[in-house]
Amino acid sequence: MDLSKETRYRRYEDWTDEEIKTLNENKAKSPWLSNYHIEPKTGLLNDPNGFSYFNGQFHLFYQNWPYGPAHGLKQWVHTVSDDLIHFSETGTKLLPDHPHDSHGAYSGSAYEIDGKLFIFYTGNVRDENWVRDPLQVGAFMDKNGQIEKFEEVLIQQPSDVTEHFRDPQIFDHKGQFYAIVGAQSLDKKGFIKLYKAVNNDIKNWELVGDLDFGGTGSEYMIECPNLVFVDDKPVLLYSPQGLDKAELDYDNIYPNTYKICQSFDTEKPALVGASNILNLDFGFECYATQGFNTPDGRALAVSWIGLPDIDYPTDQFDYQGAMSLVKELTLKDGKLYQYPVEAITSLRQTEEDFSERQTSQNTYELELNFKKDSKTELVLFADENHKGLHLTVDTASGKVIIDRSEAGQPFALEFGTTRECSIENSDTTVNIFIDKSIFEIFINKGEKVFTGRVFPNEDQSGIALVSGEATGKYFELSY
């Protein structure tokens, strides 16, 4: 389809019912539609937005251009959940229908205030010369899903940043509302600005300063910064575009990273005692992770299973992108663990001992155990010749490797077909969630994580044990 700038920024009201019907019909032809992950009704799904708890339910928006697999005139699509596993769209949308978001409702966050959900987001505005003015703007959503946008801009573009200034996250720290915003300096270095709400008035923000989190500025932009607190320790989640690979080893076009800190100094301002920068996910597709603290103090996170500037095989069906499972973040022995929320077990329909098999539709979970001093190779999405997604768990050498070079439709080959992480030489548990074209793999209940896409051929629906030994369980999953 035509994905020119004129098409991508065409006003929503100019799209005909017939064009929308064609999009829906083409998407329905896809052999890779997920079972238990959020995908867009049509078009592109990218960043998770507004992840929050409000009116007795969990709320999660996804950013969306509904008319094709490309970045265009963005809206937010609203979903709700009672258990963080089953999400349903409500019909409510944050549309690009205001002078302050005329060229797209970009990423942001949400927080319940006085019986309404405060939505804090970046309004993308461009002038006749296509020069961007990034505005940090707000809205309230009431309990009936009605959205009322603020007329005033909450934070204007500062003089020391380029047009790349976006993704505000609101959070409450010791009774005071703060917000962090991703930014690019005039000399093209990534950094984060910290603001606070004056007298806790979310329509009145003042700059505290540039947040010191022990960064080097080797990235050219920091996207989607999120600060969550795990056991009272601040954990910074962020996406540093262009990060120097001497600082962190990564293979994806852009990394998704985190730092564990010891305390939050709101005066300096600084995240004190920040760890080295670490990969949040070792797989092929994980980006723009958004986290928040629930009213009971848990830290939850969800990610876009996708990356900017990458073409995917689903593009031929006019859609792209998915949302990860919701993960709870915990700290154990100074390490960050991330693992699907407990309700994930509600998807289990059958339980059998692990064995080689053909699956009905590539929607299952494996919980497998691997012995110390061993090496085992599995193939997921396997055909009769054992071509598929290769997973090697090598406790003897201390690493896990995934290889998608033989798994269906090839894509993003310029970024390689293998990913790996290090593990201890000890008995190891691996939980694997497969959903048609999505895999999420959790080592030792979330000590390390691999997330990614494969687009299997029609005959790739098996599980094969190529070498070594694995014991455990197979669960068929259904939404």
Side-chain angles (χ1 to χ4, degrees):
M1 66 180 297
D2 172 24
L3 294 175
S4 65
K5 185 172 76 174
E6 289 72 24
T7 298
R8 290 183 292 109
Y9 286 87
R10 184 176 161 193
R11 305 308 303 179
Y12 285 23
E13 59 269 21
D14 293 339
W15 290 84
T16 67
D17 291 343
E18 190 61 32
E19 288 173 313
I20 295 168
K21 179 184 176 185
T22 299
L23 285 166
N24 281 302
E25 289 174 346
N26 197 30
K27 185 196 168 194
K29 296 174 186 175
S30 171
W32 303 304
L33 296 174
S34 70
N35 180 290
Y36 56 91
H37 286 78
I38 296 173
E39 289 184 304
K41 277 193 170 178
T42 58
L44 175 85
L45 174 154
N46 59 309
D47 297 8
N49 291 154
F51 193 21
S52 54
Y53 188 80
F54 166 59
N55 194 28
Q57 287 185 300
F58 294 98
H59 296 251
L60 175 62
F61 296 81
Y62 64 82
Q63 200 173 125
N64 172 237
W65 182 58
Y67 303 111
H71 295 267
L73 187 59
K74 299 288 186 63
Q75 64 176 353
W76 290 17
V77 177
H78 180 232
T79 73
V80 294
S81 177
D82 293 318
D83 63 359
L84 293 164
I85 297 296
H86 298 85
F87 285 86
S88 57
E89 291 191 14
T90 66
T92 294
K93 295 176 180 179
L94 183 72
L95 294 164
D97 59 2
H98 190 278
H100 292 155
D101 57 23
S102 58
H103 290 72
Y106 278 22
S107 292
S109 54
Y111 199 97
E112 181 172 3
I113 296 173
D114 297 331
K116 293 183 179 180
L117 189 66
F118 169 54
I119 298 171
F120 200 5
Y121 68 105
T122 300
N124 187 38
V125 177
R126 290 184 181 273
D127 66 16
E128 63 276 7
N129 297 314
W130 208 245
V131 176
R132 176 188 283 134
D133 185 10
L135 305 175
Q136 312 314 313
V137 294
F140 276 130
M141 185 180 80
D142 67 20
K143 293 179 179 179
N144 297 316
Q146 296 299 307
I147 291 178
E148 180 183 358
K149 296 183 179 179
F150 299 174
E151 289 305 317
E152 60 269 54
V153 175
L154 301 183
I155 302 174
Q156 298 276 2
Q157 179 182 347
S159 61
D160 61 344
V161 305
T162 70
E163 64 174 27
H164 296 292
F165 178 62
R166 55 182 174 267
D167 312 336
Q169 184 222 1
I170 180 176
F171 59 96
D172 179 319
H173 181 64
K174 298 183 177 178
Q176 170 67 52
F177 286 129
Y178 292 92
I180 51 176
V181 186
Q184 181 187 71
S185 67
L186 298 179
D187 58 353
K188 306 295 193 295
K189 295 183 183 299
F191 70 116
I192 298 170
K193 285 191 172 290
L194 176 71
Y195 294 83
K196 76 174 183 179
V198 178
N199 299 321
N200 265 354
D201 175 6
I202 49 86
K203 291 190 175 184
N204 186 6
W205 294 88
E206 69 176 14
L207 177 66
V208 180
D210 298 341
L211 182 64
D212 178 2
F213 58 95
T216 65
S218 75
E219 63 278 291
Y220 60 76
M221 173 63 189
I222 289 180
E223 291 198 308
C224 306
N226 274 245
L227 192 60
V228 294
F229 294 85
V230 185
D231 296 340
D232 292 326
K233 286 186 168 27
V235 177
L236 180 67
L237 313 172
Y238 62 113
S239 298
Q241 292 189 323
L243 185 76
D244 189 332
K245 292 188 178 182
E247 190 172 348
L248 179 71
D249 185 24
Y250 66 95
D251 293 312
N252 295 340
I253 184 171
Y254 306 121
N256 203 174
T257 64
Y258 73 96
K259 288 191 172 195
I260 301 171
C261 309
Q262 298 305 307
S263 62
F264 179 33
D265 184 335
T266 60
E267 299 296 322
K268 275 191 172 180
L271 293 173
V272 180
S275 70
N276 291 331
I277 187 171
L278 299 163
N279 277 308
L280 190 65
D281 194 288
F282 291 87
F284 298 94
E285 275 90 22
C286 181
Y287 197 71
T289 298
Q290 181 160 102
F292 86 105
N293 284 103
T294 63
D296 63 6
R298 289 180 297 159
L300 302 176
V302 64
S303 307
W304 170 25
I305 304 180
L307 283 165
D309 307 321
I310 299 291
D311 295 327
Y312 287 88
T314 56
D315 292 1
Q316 64 191 291
F317 299 105
D318 294 332
Y319 79 102
Q320 185 190 117
M323 207 66 74
S324 77
L325 297 171
V326 175
K327 297 154 281 193
E328 183 167 357
L329 307 181
T330 55
L331 289 174
K332 180 180 176 183
D333 300 327
K335 298 177 182 178
L336 183 70
Y337 282 68
Q338 39 183 332
Y339 195 74
V341 296
E342 189 175 347
I344 189 67
T345 58
S346 69
L347 300 183
R348 294 174 175 175
Q349 302 299 303
T350 61
E351 176 182 330
E352 303 172 45
D353 287 337
F354 170 71
S355 63
E356 291 194 317
R357 69 183 65 226
Q358 286 297 117
T359 71
S360 59
Q361 56 175 348
N362 276 329
T363 54
Y364 59 87
E365 176 193 355
L366 295 175
E367 184 167 276
L368 302 179
N369 303 303
F370 301 88
K371 294 292 188 182
K372 178 182 178 181
D373 292 317
S374 69
K375 181 180 180 180
T376 302
E377 184 180 355
L378 292 167
V379 183
L380 312 169
F381 303 98
D383 65 15
E384 61 181 12
N385 298 313
H386 292 174
K387 289 187 175 182
L389 179 68
H390 289 254
L391 170 67
T392 302
V393 180
D394 187 348
T395 57
S397 297
K399 59 186 174 182
V400 175
I401 305 168
I402 55 173
D403 180 346
R404 68 179 180 190
S405 60
E406 298 182 333
Q409 302 287 311
F411 66 102
L413 295 178
E414 63 269 36
F415 299 101
T417 60
T418 63
R419 297 290 186 269
E420 67 177 71
C421 75
S422 61
I423 57 172
E424 299 292 326
N425 183 7
S426 60
D427 291 350
T428 299
T429 300
V430 180
N431 285 77
I432 302 167
F433 295 87
I434 301 294
D435 189 2
K436 302 298 277 290
S437 64
I438 296 167
F439 64 86
E440 297 189 61
I441 301 173
F442 298 87
I443 312 299
N444 292 327
K445 298 296 183 180
E447 180 183 356
K448 301 284 178 71
V449 183
F450 292 89
T451 304
R453 303 296 300 260
V454 297
F455 298 92
N457 299 324
E458 190 174 350
D459 62 345
Q460 292 187 307
S461 60
I463 303 170
L465 181 62
V466 176
S467 63
E469 181 182 357
T471 60
K473 298 293 183 182
Y474 168 89
F475 304 95
E476 195 74 30
L477 301 185
S478 180
Y479 197 67

